[in-house]
Amino acid sequence: TDTRVFRGFYNTDDNTGDLIAQLIDFETNTVVEEPVFSAAELLDQRTADSRVIVTFDPTTRRGIPFRHAELNPLQQAVITADQVDYLRGVRDLERPLGDFRERPGLSGLLGDVINSEPVFVGGPSFSRRDRLEFPTADGDLYSSFQNAFASRPGVVYVGANDGMLHAFDAESGVERFAFLPDRMLRTGEGDANAVTELTEPLYEHFFYVDGQPAVGDVFIDPAGGISRQWRSVLIGTYRAGGKGLFALDVTNPAAVTNEAAAAATVLWEFTDDDDTYPVVPST
């Protein structure tokens, strides 16, 4: 951004990661070494229940809270309630108290950030979109959308190999919400790596949400039958974690204060299961 550098990290010894923010010294044009925040350290201060984490229900095709009781029956069949709690950050389920893989006591909850570079999203910043190839009716101008969300809070989005796309507040580093795709839950299907492997005591590294997210402002029909309008949409991928894409509406992060609101940001998830291959032409 104009004032900060956001950097993702990974630790190959314990399969953890971090997102840090550093200030820019404009007198020397250098980056200040001391971080403004460490997102991994801040996650240590959160209880598992207080975190806002959602997933996708492929049956209803809607976002749902990532809590075992909220999952659909197919999802509940492949992941236990304890595994869900572990992924949310419950530490009592780790060895030696529990049966699951022990994570580092400090900064151990955020997965490694390898190929998913952090993406900062502040106010809408695309230019030259009030031209004829874009909507020009009153109320549909991109400049109207820019003005309406000019002061929206900055958020840094990054995928991690804990199976989640994380949204961190760009000022404080606090996790606003996280999205764990349904594709990460379906064990052994296609080329996807099952996120339940993270609970195994002998876990060896897998890739999960390791693709580079992209954010753009698009003129679409949002959910809920509202007429077409400008929205900021994030597209996420898995890279080596599996085949597929997902989309989140990241237009108004200030409104995402609970899991119901976070679930409403989930637009869709598209996987290789949705794309029959090879394609047979119709006759």
Side-chain angles (χ1 to χ4, degrees):
T1 70
D2 291 338
T3 58
R4 292 185 177 186
V5 173
F6 299 98
R7 304 172 64 192
F9 289 91
Y10 61 91
N11 186 323
T12 57
D13 290 334
D14 54 25
N15 300 308
T16 60
D18 202 356
L19 173 80
I20 69 168
Q22 295 170 289
L23 294 175
I24 301 172
D25 185 333
F26 290 101
E27 291 187 0
T28 61
N29 290 322
T30 59
V31 175
V32 179
E33 185 174 347
E34 183 66 23
V36 178
F37 65 71
S38 159
E41 290 180 3
L42 291 168
L43 270 183
D44 289 342
Q45 303 171 21
R46 299 283 295 275
T47 64
D49 193 57
S50 71
R51 293 180 65 187
V52 175
I53 306 176
V54 296
T55 187
F56 179 74
D57 184 336
T59 304
T60 63
R61 306 203 64 82
R62 294 183 177 180
I64 55 174
F66 183 60
R67 298 178 186 269
H68 198 263
E70 302 284 347
L71 302 180
N72 72 35
L74 293 176
Q75 293 171 325
Q76 291 175 340
V78 297
I79 188 169
T80 68
D82 281 350
Q83 287 174 322
V84 170
D85 290 344
Y86 174 92
L87 294 173
R88 292 186 63 93
V90 174
R91 307 303 300 255
D92 292 346
L93 296 170
E94 301 174 18
R95 289 185 169 186
L97 297 176
D99 296 325
F100 295 153
R101 175 175 65 97
E102 183 179 5
R103 295 170 287 197
L106 298 176
S107 303
L109 297 181
L110 182 59
D112 48 283
V113 178
I114 299 180
N115 293 295
S116 179
E117 295 182 8
V119 174
F120 170 83
V121 180
S125 58
F126 290 92
S127 61
R128 305 164 70 91
R129 293 203 173 188
D130 280 352
R131 298 185 172 194
L132 285 177
E133 56 265 35
F134 296 101
T136 56
D138 290 342
D140 289 342
L141 286 171
Y142 182 71
S143 54
S144 300
F145 172 70
Q146 281 185 302
N147 293 334
F149 290 98
S151 60
R152 68 183 173 189
V155 178
V156 180
Y157 299 92
V158 67
N161 291 310
D162 53 20
M164 302 183 197
L165 185 285
H166 298 269
F168 295 106
D169 186 279
E171 285 295 320
S172 66
V174 172
E175 183 187 63
R176 284 181 168 267
F177 72 93
F179 173 67
L180 191 151
D182 169 69
R183 195 71 181 98
M184 301 293 99
L185 296 176
R186 289 181 273 165
T187 50
E189 293 189 19
D191 294 325
N193 294 323
V195 76
T196 49
E197 293 287 342
L198 288 165
T199 67
E200 294 295 329
L202 299 180
Y203 168 77
E204 294 185 4
H205 186 269
F206 285 104
F207 292 103
Y208 293 102
V209 184
D210 195 52
Q212 177 66 38
V215 179
D217 295 331
V218 292
F219 194 71
I220 59 170
D221 291 318
I226 304 172
S227 60
R228 296 180 74 188
Q229 57 185 249
W230 285 101
R231 308 297 291 178
S232 296
V233 175
L234 178 146
I235 303 295
T237 64
Y238 312 126
R239 195 177 174 271
K243 298 177 181 178
L245 305 165
F246 60 85
L248 306 178
D249 186 334
V250 296
T251 306
N252 190 9
V256 184
T257 57
N258 54 48
E259 288 182 335
T265 70
V266 182
L267 295 177
W268 46 260
E269 186 175 335
F270 184 90
T271 75
D272 50 325
D273 288 344
D274 301 307
D275 188 18
T276 302
Y277 186 83
V279 176
V280 179
S282 59
T283 58

